[in-house]
Amino acid sequence: MERYREWERGRVLVVCAVLTAGLLTFHGAVPNSPGRLGSLLETFLPWLALVAVPLFGLALLRRSAVALLALLLPVAAWTHLFGGLLLPGAASGPHGLLVVQHNVSDENTDPAGTARDLAGAGPDLIALQELVPPALSVYRRTLAADYPYHAVRGTVGLWSKHPLTGVRPLDIKPADITEPWSRGLRTVVHTPYGEIAAYVAHLPSVRIGTRGLASARRDESAGLLGRAVAAERLEQVVLMGDLNGTADDRGLAPLTSRMDVARRGVAFSYPAALPVARIDQVMARSARVDHVRALPATGSDHLPVAARVTLR
């Protein structure tokens, strides 16, 4: 009888704990229609850990040992998925590059300060999005001394300490966009460790509304970018960009299925005032992204992210 009463006190908490663990473990089974609910869940998946906090408090309040044991399920599931983010990054190999990715914002009122802050991190490569005149000329002028090589196509650009060749735009424009739209480039970086294909991209924005997540354009653009990476002849590829999606979001599967994503470092990058998700990404093929971290805020609504990439 005592065990039955204990179950009665904690059964609601047990159900909540099992559901939370199920969402963490089987989030891929959540349908993406209507409203792309699966992608919406995956965008904020790490935050499901917060559900366990009030459940733990209620389990203590109700003195339910069964509920406390059940809470080990979501804790274990979350640790399996995201615990590595909290660990120190793997030591970079001898063929390492430091890469900075930043959406600088077309409303940034201090492009010179932003450029100095990014260069101050000492990266080999700086990838920027939302480059618009007259700020573009400021970035060129401010970064010229430390980054003599750069390429800009449309509103995206790459600054490098190493020579660049073969610069060309990437066609990742969704079919229903008719106005001029250029948000991708590909170039070859001649590093001391060999050539790599560098891709810089800015995928379309997503919106959260009463109908769920509006991400059709982003998903279409991600598919086009994924096909471009698949067709790349150089073995080693580094992709830097504002992809408007987290690495867990199935909308980015055309990229995450082909490329390595950092599993060390949290690096939430958006919005800068209260970051809740990392939508600024550094991915690699035939190379390893050892660690990613957020840099201090600039004049943008995104935080810069810096990643250590080890080449073969």
Side-chain angles (χ1 to χ4, degrees):
M1 182 63 69
E2 179 60 32
R3 288 183 178 179
Y4 177 77
R5 284 197 293 266
E6 182 177 332
W7 163 252
E8 283 292 303
R9 289 196 300 269
R11 62 180 178 179
V12 174
L13 299 179
V14 170
V15 171
C16 291
V18 171
L19 286 175
T20 303
L23 286 173
L24 283 164
T25 306
F26 304 108
H27 58 86
V30 176
N32 220 21
S33 60
R36 285 181 163 76
L37 294 179
S39 282
L40 183 59
L41 169 65
E42 289 156 351
T43 297
F44 301 104
L45 201 59
W47 294 99
L48 281 182
L50 297 181
V51 175
V53 176
L55 292 180
F56 182 79
L58 287 171
L60 290 176
L61 187 64
R62 295 192 176 192
R63 294 176 295 174
S64 174
V66 173
L68 286 172
L69 286 174
L71 283 170
L72 293 177
L73 293 174
V75 170
W78 189 94
T79 302
H80 173 71
L81 288 174
F82 303 111
L85 297 177
L86 306 178
L87 298 176
S92 295
H95 300 165
L97 296 176
L98 181 62
V99 172
V100 164
Q101 148 60 31
H102 192 29
N103 179 328
V104 294
S105 174
D106 55 7
E107 298 179 352
N108 192 327
T109 59
D110 185 20
T114 297
R116 287 192 295 269
D117 289 343
L118 300 179
D124 296 273
L125 303 174
I126 300 176
L128 304 181
Q129 298 83 45
E130 296 199 9
L131 294 169
V132 294
L136 174 56
S137 61
V138 177
Y139 289 110
R140 281 175 167 149
R141 183 169 61 251
T142 308
L143 294 171
D146 295 322
Y147 297 88
Y149 311 100
H150 80 279
V152 176
R153 293 295 183 271
T155 57
V156 302
L158 181 69
W159 275 257
S160 174
K161 290 185 175 181
H162 313 297
L164 304 177
T165 60
V167 182
R168 60 176 171 82
L170 289 173
D171 183 9
I172 57 172
K173 183 171 74 169
D176 67 339
I177 296 180
T178 57
E179 64 268 19
W181 196 96
S182 179
R183 291 188 178 187
L185 71 79
R186 179 263 189 197
T187 186
V188 177
V189 185
H190 298 266
T191 78
Y193 321 114
E195 297 179 347
I196 65 169
Y199 284 65
V200 182
H202 184 189
L203 300 190
S205 299
V206 301
R207 295 289 183 268
I208 300 175
T210 55
R211 296 185 178 181
L213 191 73
S215 64
R217 283 181 170 179
R218 190 279 311 271
D219 295 351
E220 181 183 352
S221 192
L224 294 170
L225 182 56
R227 285 195 285 274
V229 171
E232 174 59 54
R233 293 185 177 183
L234 282 181
E235 181 182 7
Q236 296 189 109
V237 180
V238 177
L239 166 65
M240 302 150 280
D242 173 4
L243 303 186
N244 272 303
T246 67
D248 299 297
D249 186 338
R250 69 190 68 179
L252 297 188
L255 299 167
T256 54
S257 63
R258 294 182 169 101
M259 309 189 79
D260 178 65
V261 178
R263 295 300 177 184
R264 295 289 186 270
V266 178
F268 289 159
S269 64
Y270 185 83
L274 185 64
V276 297
R278 188 207 310 159
I279 65 174
D280 295 271
Q281 305 289 351
V282 177
M283 303 180 184
R285 186 184 77 183
S286 298
R288 187 179 72 241
V289 184
D290 297 310
H291 186 265
V292 62
R293 62 188 173 94
L295 298 178
T298 66
S300 172
D301 55 344
H302 292 241
L303 293 180
V305 297
R308 298 200 308 265
V309 179
T310 296
L311 306 178
R312 287 186 177 180

